[in-house]
Amino acid sequence: MAVVPASLSGQDVGSFAYLTIKDRIPQILTKVIDTLHRHKSEFFEKHGEEGVEAEKKAISLLSKLRNELQTDKPIIPLVEKFVDTDIWNQYLEYQQSLLNESDGKSRWFYSPWLFVECYMYRRIHEAIIQSPPIDYFDVFKESKEQNFCESQESVIALCTHLQQLIKTIEDLDENQLKDEFFKLLQISLWGNKCDLSLSGGENSSQKTDVLNSLEDLKPFILLNDMEHLWSLLSNCKKTREKASFCF
C-alpha cells in the first residue's frame, strides 16, 4: 500500500513552506494592520470613538497573532462562535493528535503549511468580527480592486480570445482543439501569478497579454501532464459517444 508523504511544514528550512511562515504570512499580517490603521479616520467618521476603539482592538488581536506566528507559539483554538468555528477547532485537535511533541501542541512551523496559512486567514476574519462596529470591513478590498483594475488589459485580451474561440470552436479540428485546451490550462496555471497571497500582498497585477507569454513560461512548468490529460479526456469522450450510439 502506498505511503502518503508527510505534509510540507515550516520546519523544512529553505522550502516554500518555510519561507511562507517565516516571511510571507508576517508580511501579509503587517499589511492588514497597516490597512486598518489607514482607515482610522473613516471609522471615526462612521462610528465615532467606538469605531476608533474597534480599530485598536482589531489591530491588537492581529499583532498578537503575528507575535504567535513569529515566536512559533502553539496554534490556539478559535474563540468567536461562527458557523465554522467548531469545524476548525475539531481539525486543530486532529492535527494535535498526529504530533509527537512533548506538549502535544500544534505549532506554526511544525504544522502542515496549507493548514497554517488557511488558519491565519481565518484568524484575520476572527479579529475583524470580534471588533464591531467595523466587523463588516474587508481588509483586502483595496488591494483586490487595485490589482483587478490594473490587469484590465490582460483581462480584456483573454475575454476577447474566449469570445472568438466560442464562435469558431465547432470548426476546429482535433489538433486545434487540443492546442486551445492546452492554452486554457496554462492560463489557469499562470493565473496564480496574480495571487495576492503568493505575493505577500504586493501588487501582482497582470499588465500584458498572457496568451503571448505562454511559450516563454513553459520551461517553468515543473511537471507537465497535459498530454496525458488530453488523452484521458479524449478516450472518455469516445467511450461516451460509443455508448450513446449503442443505446
Side-chain angles (χ1 to χ4, degrees):
M1 189 173 79
V3 178
V4 178
S7 300
L8 288 174
S9 71
Q11 63 182 314
D12 304 312
V13 178
S15 67
F16 177 75
Y18 172 78
L19 295 174
T20 290
I21 301 169
K22 178 180 175 292
D23 299 324
R24 191 161 59 85
I25 293 181
Q27 183 180 351
I28 291 170
L29 286 170
T30 298
K31 287 185 175 296
V32 168
I33 292 170
D34 289 344
T35 298
L36 283 166
H37 184 69
R38 283 190 290 101
H39 284 78
K40 184 176 182 178
S41 297
E42 175 190 324
F43 298 145
F44 178 75
E45 290 174 7
K46 287 186 177 180
H47 310 290
E49 285 298 329
E50 188 179 6
V52 175
E53 291 303 314
E55 177 249 359
K56 290 179 181 178
K57 180 180 180 181
I59 288 178
S60 175
L61 291 170
L62 291 168
S63 297
K64 178 178 180 293
L65 172 61
R66 184 174 56 184
N67 178 262
E68 291 173 12
L69 159 63
Q70 292 178 318
T71 56
D72 198 25
K73 292 288 194 301
I75 298 176
I76 61 176
L78 301 175
V79 296
E80 183 72 15
K81 282 298 179 183
F82 207 66
V83 63
D84 61 345
T85 302
D86 290 340
I87 296 174
W88 275 98
N89 289 340
Q90 288 168 10
Y91 188 77
L92 177 57
E93 289 182 9
Y94 167 71
Q95 285 296 331
Q96 291 177 346
S97 71
L98 299 179
L99 297 177
N100 295 318
E101 293 182 305
S102 58
D103 59 4
K105 299 292 185 181
S106 297
R107 296 180 179 276
W108 286 86
F109 279 84
Y110 288 86
S111 299
W113 144 69
L114 183 57
F115 164 67
V116 166
E117 182 164 356
C118 292
Y119 170 82
M120 181 270 297
Y121 283 110
R122 183 59 180 80
R123 283 283 299 276
I124 291 176
H125 177 62
E126 181 175 72
I128 299 300
I129 63 176
Q130 281 186 294
S131 306
I134 67 167
D135 48 345
Y136 62 88
F137 187 70
D138 182 353
V139 294
F140 299 111
K141 181 181 179 181
E142 283 184 351
S143 55
K144 289 185 290 188
E145 289 182 343
Q146 178 186 353
N147 272 260
F148 177 74
C149 290
E150 292 181 358
S151 299
Q152 283 192 62
E153 182 180 344
S154 180
V155 172
I156 291 171
L158 179 57
C159 289
T160 301
H161 178 77
L162 288 174
Q163 287 176 328
Q164 293 173 343
L165 177 60
I166 291 171
K167 292 178 182 178
T168 60
I169 195 166
E170 296 295 335
D171 300 322
L172 301 182
D173 60 29
E174 188 80 2
N175 288 329
Q176 290 172 320
L177 278 174
K178 180 180 176 182
D179 182 58
E180 291 296 335
F181 178 67
F182 285 0
K183 284 181 183 177
L184 294 178
L185 282 179
Q186 291 173 81
I187 289 169
S188 178
L189 169 66
W190 297 118
N192 286 303
K193 292 175 67 179
C194 295
D195 190 330
L196 285 166
S197 175
L198 286 177
S199 69
E202 294 293 338
N203 188 304
S204 57
S205 56
Q206 180 69 41
K207 296 182 173 64
T208 58
D209 184 351
V210 66
L211 287 162
N212 296 330
S213 307
L214 295 181
E215 283 300 318
D216 293 335
L217 289 170
K218 271 186 178 179
F220 298 101
I221 300 177
L222 299 180
L223 186 63
N224 190 340
D225 284 327
M226 289 193 295
E227 289 283 353
H228 179 68
L229 177 59
W230 176 258
S231 176
L232 178 65
L233 292 175
S234 296
N235 290 335
C236 288
K237 181 182 178 183
K238 291 174 183 176
T239 301
R240 184 179 61 189
E241 290 174 348
K242 183 178 179 180
S244 298
F245 178 76
C246 293
F247 179 78

